Amino acid sequence: MSDQFKKQAAERAAQDVTSGMRLGIGTGSTAEFFVQALAERVSDGLDVIGVPTSERTRSLASELGIRLTTLDDLPELDLTIDGADELDAGLSLIKGGGGALLREKIVASSSANMIVIADGSKEVTTLGRFPLPIEVVPFGLKATMNAIAKALETTGLPQKLVLRGGVQDPFVTDGGHYILDAHLEAIPDAQSLAGELVDIPGVVEHGLFIGLATKAYVAGTNGVKTVVPA
């Protein structure tokens, strides 16, 4: 059922795309349903150009005939459509489960609007049930982990950090970085935590997306509902 709901949300978002739009195209399982829905509209004559947020998305969109470019050539976008690992009532998000959080945040920040597409299981009262991805440079990894742990302690959060993929085979992002997944259980003050993390040398970006999403389409047993920031 989850895939069905993801597909419904993605198809609803695709209806918001109009000819001439400059699109940010997200990454992940729900975003892939959007790419497929967008490709169908493109084959019917919709004229858009997209900036993909990962090499995986680039490959799929190109294969399906969607015209693509880069932020270097098109630095201002009309709309980004992307999934989320969690979203709250204010449309603050946790993203990065697919490992593309840095590019996703750059693209979303370059867009006038951002639509989130998700199934109902991604809605939460308080962010944090999903481990928070923190993208870090490989150099000085232990020192960076220590600094993150101190920041988590300062904000009253658990200091459980897991290197994605493990020490022997760490996951490497498209940017050549590692990801630490912070198991926090609940984040009562996401804005404060975001500020603490961004100040740490070695932290490239974190998966808290605050103030970027302008609307969400969330699909469930009762259909697709529209959510705007509370």
Side-chain angles (χ1 to χ4, degrees), residues 4 26-27 43 130 134 141 162 174 178 208 225:
Q4 178 184 335
T27 295
S43 68
F130 189 91
I134 305 170
L141 177 62
V162 178
D174 286 342
Y178 292 166
L208 291 169
K225 67 177 181 179

Side-chain angles (χ1 to χ4, degrees), residues 101-122:
L101 64 104
L102 175 60
R103 294 190 184 185
E104 288 173 337
K105 190 173 284 189
I106 292 172
V107 170
S109 297
S110 301
S111 302
N113 292 286
M114 178 187 185
I115 295 176
V116 176
I117 47 178
D119 66 85
S121 70
K122 305 300 174 63

Side-chain angles (χ1 to χ4, degrees), residues 173-194:
T173 70
D174 286 342
H177 306 129
Y178 292 166
I179 288 183
L180 299 171
D181 290 309
H183 295 253
L184 305 177
E185 300 171 10
I187 307 172
D189 188 346
Q191 187 70 62
S192 176
L193 177 59

